[in-house]
């Protein structure tokens, strides 16, 4: 069951990067990342509810799934951004920059960028996952019932 959530979270996390393959959709990447963040939070909360029903630990699972998904998703995203199709879409976004300068900007420090981004996003998305899964799995307290006062 946890693997199903991990796969869904990976798809949600990595899907906005596919927009960088088209020059017409490239501008929607930021908006797509925002919506994927919202969907990921919802998936983490639902995962927490599922884990609570099965009496499984929640925070640690959310932390590890979030970190793993973001590491893998960042690596896949970096690989997609380095494809020739994504490179052409990027070059269309910076029309006044010389082609050689734009390509250098895209490929400069690609490995270091992938490693640092992966680590940073693993920490952030892992913490988000841990907190959201914990919150989704917490028990709701019943609302206090008011005793009718008799006079």
């Amino acid at each position: 069951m946890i693997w199903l959530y991990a796969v869904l979270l990976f798809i949600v996390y990595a899907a906005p990067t596919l927009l960088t393959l088209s020059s017409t959709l490239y501008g929607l990447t930021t908006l797509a990342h925002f919506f994927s963040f919202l969907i990921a939070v919802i998936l983490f909360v639902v995962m927490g509810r599922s884990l609570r029903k099965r009496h499984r630990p929640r925070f640690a699972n959310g932390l590890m799934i979030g970190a793993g998904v973001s590491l893998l998703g960042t690596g896949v995203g970096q690989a997609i951004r380095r494809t020739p199709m994504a490179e052409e879409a990027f070059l269309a976004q910076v029309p006044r920059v010389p082609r050689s300068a734009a390509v250098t900007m895209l490929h400069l420090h690609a490995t270091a960028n992938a490693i640092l981004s992966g680590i940073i996003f693993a920490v952030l998305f892992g913490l988000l996952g841990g907190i959201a899964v914990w919150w989704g799995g917490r028990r709701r307290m019943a609302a206090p019932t008011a005793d009718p006062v008799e006079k």
Side-chain angles (χ1 to χ4, degrees), residues 33-121:
H33 278 291
F34 174 71
F35 283 115
S36 75
F37 170 78
L38 294 177
I39 293 169
V41 169
I42 292 169
L43 281 172
F44 277 128
V45 169
V46 171
M47 180 178 158
R49 288 183 182 170
S50 296
L51 290 173
R52 182 189 72 208
K53 288 178 186 176
R54 290 169 178 72
H55 305 291
R56 309 265 321 264
R58 296 180 309 271
F59 183 81
N61 282 327
L63 183 74
M64 298 310 288
I65 294 296
V69 162
S70 67
L71 273 174
L72 188 61
T74 300
V76 168
Q78 293 292 328
I80 289 172
R81 284 187 192 99
R82 302 304 187 271
T83 61
M85 197 170 166
E87 185 176 303
E88 290 301 320
F90 175 72
L91 293 173
Q93 299 302 310
V94 287
R96 294 186 180 152
V97 176
R99 182 177 177 83
S100 60
V103 170
T104 301
M105 184 172 56
L106 185 63
H107 293 289
L108 189 65
H109 307 300
T111 304
N113 181 24
I115 292 169
L116 289 174
S117 297
I119 291 169
I120 291 168
F121 292 140

